């Protein structure tokens, strides 16, 4: 079961170890959507992602891969490569950048890490923002890859701004 709560996904709630998951692209770009808020609160995932994208780590940088970046004793960020290229106003594409099978593969890696560390998983509506995905398609993938295996999942929706 996925729990939906109003709040800021960059500050996951609850006790115990937590994995904060978000979707990244496969071209090394970082600068739109959720990552702006993430970098403001935790700069480490951006630095690690850019080094990874530049080939400065031993881990393959490819769709479906996940980079785990500890940011606090109880919080690790999972940079999940689930988007091919980026959406551009100047060059629209017939297919949105999100790649659901890559998200599925990455969530399988997230599941293994969550089970290994006894962590709960937290996220915004991954892949459904600037990546152009449909939450009605992505949500069942999260259920199948995480919740169905007993991994607690919390999805955060920012509360509406009050005037």
């Amino acid at each position: 079961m996925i729990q939906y709560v109003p709040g800021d996904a960059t500050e996951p709630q609850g006790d115990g170890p937590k994995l904060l998951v978000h979707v990244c692209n496969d071209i090394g770009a970082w600068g739109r959507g959720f990552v702006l808020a993430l970098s403001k609160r935790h700069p480490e995932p951006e630095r690690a992602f850019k080094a990874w994208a530049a080939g400065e780590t031993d881990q393959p940088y490819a769709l479906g891969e996940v980079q785990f970046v500890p940011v606090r004793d109880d919080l690790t960020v999972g940079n999940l490569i689930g988007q091919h290229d980026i959406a551009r106003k100047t060059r629209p594409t017939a297919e949105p950048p999100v790649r659901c099978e890559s998200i599925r593969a990455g969530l399988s890696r997230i599941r293994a890490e969550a089970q290994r560390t006894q962590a709960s998983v937290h996220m915004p509506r991954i892949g459904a923002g600037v990546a152009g995905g449909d939450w009605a398609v992505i949500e069942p993938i999260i259920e199948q890859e995480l919740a169905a295996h007993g991994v607690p999942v919390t999805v955060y929706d920012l509360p509406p701004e009050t005037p």
Side-chain angles (χ1 to χ4, degrees):
M1 189 171 111
I2 299 173
Q3 178 182 12
Y4 290 87
V5 299
D8 180 355
T10 66
E11 195 57 40
Q13 304 303 304
D15 297 327
K18 292 173 267 314
L19 276 171
L20 172 56
V21 180
H22 70 107
V23 168
C24 303
N25 60 67
D26 64 356
I27 64 166
W30 183 289
R32 284 188 59 214
F34 178 74
V35 297
L36 297 176
L38 179 61
S39 289
K40 195 177 279 188
R41 189 174 300 271
H42 305 289
E44 301 92 338
E46 179 179 2
R47 284 194 295 267
F49 174 79
K50 288 181 176 179
W52 184 29
E56 297 171 6
T57 72
D58 292 335
Q59 182 181 4
Y61 178 74
L63 285 166
E65 292 290 329
V66 180
Q67 179 188 50
F68 295 100
V69 184
V71 296
R72 288 192 323 235
D73 288 345
D74 67 338
L75 179 61
T76 297
V77 172
N79 291 333
L80 188 163
I81 310 291
Q83 178 181 327
H84 173 63
D85 205 346
I86 58 173
R88 294 178 175 95
K89 290 179 185 175
T90 58
R91 195 189 70 197
T93 58
E95 184 180 6
V98 69
R99 295 295 182 266
C100 289
E101 286 310 308
S102 298
I103 289 176
R104 181 181 298 282
L107 288 176
S108 175
R109 289 177 166 85
I110 294 290
R111 178 180 69 236
E113 182 67 6
Q115 290 172 332
R116 185 186 73 76
T117 62
Q118 307 263 303
S120 54
V121 174
H122 303 259
M123 64 183 72
R125 291 185 185 237
I126 60 170
V130 295
D134 181 347
W135 186 250
V137 174
I138 296 168
E139 180 186 44
I141 296 170
I142 296 166
E143 296 226 5
Q144 293 159 10
E145 294 300 326
L146 299 173
H149 295 272
V151 175
V153 178
T154 302
V155 174
Y156 296 81
D157 287 310
L158 286 173
E161 291 187 31
T162 53

